[in-house]
PDB file of all heavy atoms in Angstrom:
ATOM      1  N   GLY A  38     -72.998  88.175  47.514  1.00 97.00           N
ATOM      2  CA  GLY A  38     -72.566  89.507  47.911  1.00 97.00           C
ATOM      3  C   GLY A  38     -73.416  90.635  47.378  1.00 97.00           C
ATOM      4  O   GLY A  38     -72.993  91.797  47.377  1.00 97.00           O
ATOM      5  N   GLY A  39     -74.638  90.326  46.948  1.00 98.00           N
ATOM      6  CA  GLY A  39     -75.530  91.375  46.482  1.00 98.00           C
ATOM      7  C   GLY A  39     -75.945  92.305  47.605  1.00 98.00           C
ATOM      8  O   GLY A  39     -75.952  91.930  48.781  1.00 98.00           O
ATOM      9  N   THR A  40     -76.290  93.536  47.256  1.00 98.00           N
ATOM     10  CA  THR A  40     -76.689  94.530  48.242  1.00 98.00           C
ATOM     11  C   THR A  40     -78.125  94.968  47.973  1.00 98.00           C
ATOM     12  O   THR A  40     -78.844  94.331  47.210  1.00 98.00           O
ATOM     13  CB  THR A  40     -75.747  95.747  48.193  1.00 98.00           C
ATOM     14  OG1 THR A  40     -75.875  96.389  46.913  1.00 98.00           O
ATOM     15  CG2 THR A  40     -74.295  95.316  48.380  1.00 98.00           C
ATOM     16  N   SER A  41     -78.539  96.061  48.603  1.00 98.00           N
ATOM     17  CA  SER A  41     -79.871  96.622  48.395  1.00 98.00           C
ATOM     18  C   SER A  41     -79.773  97.845  47.497  1.00 98.00           C
ATOM     19  O   SER A  41     -78.976  98.750  47.756  1.00 98.00           O
ATOM     20  CB  SER A  41     -80.499  97.011  49.741  1.00 98.00           C
ATOM     21  OG  SER A  41     -80.696  95.863  50.541  1.00 98.00           O
ATOM     22  N   LEU A  42     -80.572  97.883  46.453  1.00 98.00           N
ATOM     23  CA  LEU A  42     -80.546  98.964  45.475  1.00 98.00           C
ATOM     24  C   LEU A  42     -81.896  99.669  45.409  1.00 98.00           C
ATOM     25  O   LEU A  42     -82.940  99.040  45.576  1.00 98.00           O
ATOM     26  CB  LEU A  42     -80.218  98.418  44.084  1.00 98.00           C
ATOM     27  CG  LEU A  42     -78.947  97.589  43.925  1.00 98.00           C
ATOM     28  CD1 LEU A  42     -78.839  97.084  42.484  1.00 98.00           C
ATOM     29  CD2 LEU A  42     -77.711  98.392  44.301  1.00 98.00           C
ATOM     30  N   THR A  43     -81.865 100.976  45.151  1.00 98.00           N
ATOM     31  CA  THR A  43     -83.074 101.753  44.899  1.00 98.00           C
ATOM     32  C   THR A  43     -83.209 101.957  43.396  1.00 98.00           C
ATOM     33  O   THR A  43     -82.270 102.377  42.728  1.00 98.00           O
ATOM     34  CB  THR A  43     -83.010 103.119  45.608  1.00 98.00           C
ATOM     35  OG1 THR A  43     -82.937 102.906  47.018  1.00 98.00           O
ATOM     36  CG2 THR A  43     -84.244 103.946  45.296  1.00 98.00           C
ATOM     37  N   PHE A  44     -84.383 101.661  42.877  1.00 98.00           N
ATOM     38  CA  PHE A  44     -84.667 101.676  41.449  1.00 98.00           C
ATOM     39  C   PHE A  44     -85.778 102.692  41.191  1.00 98.00           C
ATOM     40  O   PHE A  44     -86.938 102.458  41.525  1.00 98.00           O
ATOM     41  CB  PHE A  44     -85.090 100.262  41.039  1.00 98.00           C
ATOM     42  CG  PHE A  44     -85.405 100.047  39.580  1.00 98.00           C
ATOM     43  CD1 PHE A  44     -85.021 100.937  38.592  1.00 98.00           C
ATOM     44  CD2 PHE A  44     -86.095  98.891  39.187  1.00 98.00           C
ATOM     45  CE1 PHE A  44     -85.304 100.707  37.258  1.00 98.00           C
ATOM     46  CE2 PHE A  44     -86.383  98.639  37.855  1.00 98.00           C
ATOM     47  CZ  PHE A  44     -85.988  99.557  36.895  1.00 98.00           C
ATOM     48  N   THR A  45     -85.430 103.859  40.621  1.00 98.00           N
ATOM     49  CA  THR A  45     -86.448 104.857  40.307  1.00 98.00           C
ATOM     50  C   THR A  45     -87.067 104.531  38.953  1.00 98.00           C
ATOM     51  O   THR A  45     -86.382 104.150  38.012  1.00 98.00           O
ATOM     52  CB  THR A  45     -85.857 106.272  40.290  1.00 98.00           C
ATOM     53  OG1 THR A  45     -84.683 106.302  39.478  1.00 98.00           O
ATOM     54  CG2 THR A  45     -85.499 106.728  41.699  1.00 98.00           C
ATOM     55  N   THR A  46     -88.385 104.720  38.854  1.00 96.00           N
ATOM     56  CA  THR A  46     -89.110 104.274  37.666  1.00 96.00           C
ATOM     57  C   THR A  46     -89.853 105.435  37.011  1.00 96.00           C
ATOM     58  O   THR A  46     -89.280 106.197  36.257  1.00 96.00           O
ATOM     59  CB  THR A  46     -90.061 103.131  38.041  1.00 96.00           C
ATOM     60  OG1 THR A  46     -90.929 103.557  39.114  1.00 96.00           O
ATOM     61  CG2 THR A  46     -89.288 101.902  38.477  1.00 96.00           C
ATOM     62  N   GLY A  47     -91.141 105.576  37.289  1.00 92.00           N
ATOM     63  CA  GLY A  47     -91.950 106.646  36.715  1.00 92.00           C
ATOM     64  C   GLY A  47     -93.186 106.844  37.567  1.00 92.00           C
ATOM     65  O   GLY A  47     -93.245 106.385  38.712  1.00 92.00           O
ATOM     66  N   GLY A  48     -94.186 107.510  37.011  1.00 87.00           N
ATOM     67  CA  GLY A  48     -95.431 107.721  37.739  1.00 87.00           C
ATOM     68  C   GLY A  48     -96.139 106.410  38.037  1.00 87.00           C
ATOM     69  O   GLY A  48     -95.972 105.423  37.324  1.00 87.00           O
ATOM     70  N   ASP A  49     -96.959 106.411  39.097  1.00 88.00           N
ATOM     71  CA  ASP A  49     -97.548 105.148  39.546  1.00 88.00           C
ATOM     72  C   ASP A  49     -98.653 104.623  38.643  1.00 88.00           C
ATOM     73  O   ASP A  49     -99.204 103.554  38.904  1.00 88.00           O
ATOM     74  CB  ASP A  49     -98.043 105.259  40.998  1.00 88.00           C
ATOM     75  CG  ASP A  49     -99.095 106.328  41.192  1.00 88.00           C
ATOM     76  OD1 ASP A  49     -99.604 106.874  40.193  1.00 88.00           O
ATOM     77  OD2 ASP A  49     -99.417 106.623  42.354  1.00 88.00           O
ATOM     78  N   GLN A  50     -98.986 105.337  37.572  1.00 82.00           N
ATOM     79  CA  GLN A  50     -99.931 104.810  36.586  1.00 82.00           C
ATOM     80  C   GLN A  50     -99.258 104.556  35.238  1.00 82.00           C
ATOM     81  O   GLN A  50     -99.927 104.401  34.222  1.00 82.00           O
ATOM     82  CB  GLN A  50    -101.121 105.767  36.419  1.00 82.00           C
ATOM     83  CG  GLN A  50    -102.005 105.849  37.651  1.00 82.00           C
ATOM     84  CD  GLN A  50    -103.347 106.479  37.356  1.00 82.00           C
ATOM     85  OE1 GLN A  50    -104.055 106.086  36.424  1.00 82.00           O
ATOM     86  NE2 GLN A  50    -103.711 107.466  38.137  1.00 82.00           N
ATOM     87  N   GLY A  51     -97.930 104.487  35.263  1.00 86.00           N
ATOM     88  CA  GLY A  51     -97.188 104.217  34.045  1.00 86.00           C
ATOM     89  C   GLY A  51     -96.577 102.829  34.036  1.00 86.00           C
ATOM     90  O   GLY A  51     -96.536 102.138  35.065  1.00 86.00           O
ATOM     91  N   THR A  52     -96.086 102.422  32.885  1.00 91.00           N
ATOM     92  CA  THR A  52     -95.513 101.082  32.725  1.00 91.00           C
ATOM     93  C   THR A  52     -94.205 100.922  33.489  1.00 91.00           C
ATOM     94  O   THR A  52     -93.920  99.844  34.013  1.00 91.00           O
ATOM     95  CB  THR A  52     -95.296 100.787  31.228  1.00 91.00           C
ATOM     96  OG1 THR A  52     -96.512 101.020  30.513  1.00 91.00           O
ATOM     97  CG2 THR A  52     -94.861  99.341  31.015  1.00 91.00           C
ATOM     98  N   TYR A  53     -93.386 101.984  33.553  1.00 94.00           N
ATOM     99  CA  TYR A  53     -92.125 101.892  34.286  1.00 94.00           C
ATOM    100  C   TYR A  53     -92.360 101.392  35.716  1.00 94.00           C
ATOM    101  O   TYR A  53     -91.649 100.516  36.206  1.00 94.00           O
ATOM    102  CB  TYR A  53     -91.457 103.268  34.375  1.00 94.00           C
ATOM    103  CG  TYR A  53     -90.692 103.720  33.165  1.00 94.00           C
ATOM    104  CD1 TYR A  53     -90.096 104.985  33.147  1.00 94.00           C
ATOM    105  CD2 TYR A  53     -90.533 102.930  32.032  1.00 94.00           C
ATOM    106  CE1 TYR A  53     -89.380 105.440  32.050  1.00 94.00           C
ATOM    107  CE2 TYR A  53     -89.819 103.372  30.937  1.00 94.00           C
ATOM    108  CZ  TYR A  53     -89.242 104.634  30.948  1.00 94.00           C
ATOM    109  OH  TYR A  53     -88.533 105.086  29.870  1.00 94.00           O
ATOM    110  N   PHE A  54     -93.328 101.983  36.379  1.00 95.00           N
ATOM    111  CA  PHE A  54     -93.564 101.645  37.786  1.00 95.00           C
ATOM    112  C   PHE A  54     -94.111 100.226  37.934  1.00 95.00           C
ATOM    113  O   PHE A  54     -93.616  99.430  38.735  1.00 95.00           O
ATOM    114  CB  PHE A  54     -94.526 102.651  38.416  1.00 95.00           C
ATOM    115  CG  PHE A  54     -94.840 102.371  39.862  1.00 95.00           C
ATOM    116  CD1 PHE A  54     -93.901 102.618  40.846  1.00 95.00           C
ATOM    117  CD2 PHE A  54     -96.071 101.863  40.237  1.00 95.00           C
ATOM    118  CE1 PHE A  54     -94.188 102.357  42.183  1.00 95.00           C
ATOM    119  CE2 PHE A  54     -96.363 101.608  41.563  1.00 95.00           C
ATOM    120  CZ  PHE A  54     -95.413 101.854  42.536  1.00 95.00           C
ATOM    121  N   GLY A  55     -95.137  99.905  37.159  1.00 94.00           N
ATOM    122  CA  GLY A  55     -95.744  98.583  37.285  1.00 94.00           C
ATOM    123  C   GLY A  55     -94.790  97.460  36.921  1.00 94.00           C
ATOM    124  O   GLY A  55     -94.643  96.483  37.664  1.00 94.00           O
ATOM    125  N   PHE A  56     -94.122  97.594  35.781  1.00 96.00           N
ATOM    126  CA  PHE A  56     -93.191  96.555  35.350  1.00 96.00           C
ATOM    127  C   PHE A  56     -91.947  96.557  36.231  1.00 96.00           C
ATOM    128  O   PHE A  56     -91.389  95.498  36.532  1.00 96.00           O
ATOM    129  CB  PHE A  56     -92.815  96.776  33.887  1.00 96.00           C
ATOM    130  CG  PHE A  56     -92.081  95.630  33.245  1.00 96.00           C
ATOM    131  CD1 PHE A  56     -92.394  94.307  33.551  1.00 96.00           C
ATOM    132  CD2 PHE A  56     -91.076  95.867  32.320  1.00 96.00           C
ATOM    133  CE1 PHE A  56     -91.718  93.247  32.945  1.00 96.00           C
ATOM    134  CE2 PHE A  56     -90.397  94.832  31.711  1.00 96.00           C
ATOM    135  CZ  PHE A  56     -90.719  93.512  32.025  1.00 96.00           C
ATOM    136  N   GLY A  57     -91.515  97.736  36.647  1.00 97.00           N
ATOM    137  CA  GLY A  57     -90.363  97.814  37.537  1.00 97.00           C
ATOM    138  C   GLY A  57     -90.566  97.042  38.821  1.00 97.00           C
ATOM    139  O   GLY A  57     -89.652  96.371  39.316  1.00 97.00           O
ATOM    140  N   GLY A  58     -91.776  97.105  39.364  1.00 97.00           N
ATOM    141  CA  GLY A  58     -92.073  96.349  40.576  1.00 97.00           C
ATOM    142  C   GLY A  58     -91.991  94.852  40.358  1.00 97.00           C
ATOM    143  O   GLY A  58     -91.498  94.117  41.220  1.00 97.00           O
ATOM    144  N   VAL A  59     -92.458  94.406  39.203  1.00 98.00           N
ATOM    145  CA  VAL A  59     -92.390  92.976  38.878  1.00 98.00           C
ATOM    146  C   VAL A  59     -90.936  92.532  38.726  1.00 98.00           C
ATOM    147  O   VAL A  59     -90.527  91.476  39.227  1.00 98.00           O
ATOM    148  CB  VAL A  59     -93.197  92.679  37.597  1.00 98.00           C
ATOM    149  CG1 VAL A  59     -92.992  91.236  37.148  1.00 98.00           C
ATOM    150  CG2 VAL A  59     -94.679  92.950  37.830  1.00 98.00           C
ATOM    151  N   LEU A  60     -90.128  93.343  38.035  1.00 98.00           N
ATOM    152  CA  LEU A  60     -88.715  93.011  37.855  1.00 98.00           C
ATOM    153  C   LEU A  60     -87.998  92.955  39.202  1.00 98.00           C
ATOM    154  O   LEU A  60     -87.228  92.026  39.472  1.00 98.00           O
ATOM    155  CB  LEU A  60     -88.036  94.046  36.963  1.00 98.00           C
ATOM    156  CG  LEU A  60     -88.526  94.163  35.517  1.00 98.00           C
ATOM    157  CD1 LEU A  60     -87.785  95.289  34.802  1.00 98.00           C
ATOM    158  CD2 LEU A  60     -88.362  92.845  34.773  1.00 98.00           C
ATOM    159  N   ALA A  61     -88.248  93.964  40.042  1.00 98.00           N
ATOM    160  CA  ALA A  61     -87.598  94.016  41.351  1.00 98.00           C
ATOM    161  C   ALA A  61     -87.933  92.790  42.181  1.00 98.00           C
ATOM    162  O   ALA A  61     -87.066  92.206  42.850  1.00 98.00           O
ATOM    163  CB  ALA A  61     -88.023  95.279  42.096  1.00 98.00           C
ATOM    164  N   GLY A  62     -89.191  92.393  42.130  1.00 98.00           N
ATOM    165  CA  GLY A  62     -89.603  91.220  42.897  1.00 98.00           C
ATOM    166  C   GLY A  62     -88.876  89.959  42.460  1.00 98.00           C
ATOM    167  O   GLY A  62     -88.423  89.171  43.285  1.00 98.00           O
ATOM    168  N   LYS A  63     -88.741  89.791  41.148  1.00 98.00           N
ATOM    169  CA  LYS A  63     -88.087  88.577  40.645  1.00 98.00           C
ATOM    170  C   LYS A  63     -86.591  88.584  40.943  1.00 98.00           C
ATOM    171  O   LYS A  63     -86.015  87.546  41.290  1.00 98.00           O
ATOM    172  CB  LYS A  63     -88.339  88.442  39.136  1.00 98.00           C
ATOM    173  CG  LYS A  63     -87.851  87.125  38.535  1.00 98.00           C
ATOM    174  CD  LYS A  63     -88.404  85.898  39.269  1.00 98.00           C
ATOM    175  CE  LYS A  63     -89.899  85.787  39.191  1.00 98.00           C
ATOM    176  NZ  LYS A  63     -90.368  84.568  39.934  1.00 98.00           N
ATOM    177  N   VAL A  64     -85.944  89.747  40.812  1.00 98.00           N
ATOM    178  CA  VAL A  64     -84.515  89.825  41.130  1.00 98.00           C
ATOM    179  C   VAL A  64     -84.286  89.486  42.601  1.00 98.00           C
ATOM    180  O   VAL A  64     -83.370  88.725  42.944  1.00 98.00           O
ATOM    181  CB  VAL A  64     -83.969  91.237  40.812  1.00 98.00           C
ATOM    182  CG1 VAL A  64     -82.538  91.394  41.332  1.00 98.00           C
ATOM    183  CG2 VAL A  64     -84.007  91.493  39.308  1.00 98.00           C
ATOM    184  N   GLY A  65     -85.115  90.041  43.482  1.00 98.00           N
ATOM    185  CA  GLY A  65     -84.974  89.760  44.906  1.00 98.00           C
ATOM    186  C   GLY A  65     -85.247  88.312  45.254  1.00 98.00           C
ATOM    187  O   GLY A  65     -84.632  87.750  46.164  1.00 98.00           O
ATOM    188  N   GLU A  66     -86.156  87.690  44.532  1.00 98.00           N
ATOM    189  CA  GLU A  66     -86.502  86.292  44.758  1.00 98.00           C
ATOM    190  C   GLU A  66     -85.415  85.353  44.246  1.00 98.00           C
ATOM    191  O   GLU A  66     -85.172  84.287  44.820  1.00 98.00           O
ATOM    192  CB  GLU A  66     -87.832  85.990  44.056  1.00 98.00           C
ATOM    193  CG  GLU A  66     -88.390  84.598  44.280  1.00 98.00           C
ATOM    194  CD  GLU A  66     -89.680  84.374  43.531  1.00 98.00           C
ATOM    195  OE1 GLU A  66     -90.207  85.341  42.932  1.00 98.00           O
ATOM    196  OE2 GLU A  66     -90.165  83.226  43.532  1.00 98.00           O
TER     197      GLU A  66
END
């Protein structure tokens, strides 16, 4: 029953954005 979530991170040259993308990919997988 999971849904689709939007995850705001930080600037595209910061760790929030890069690591956030990796986390999002694994959760979705």
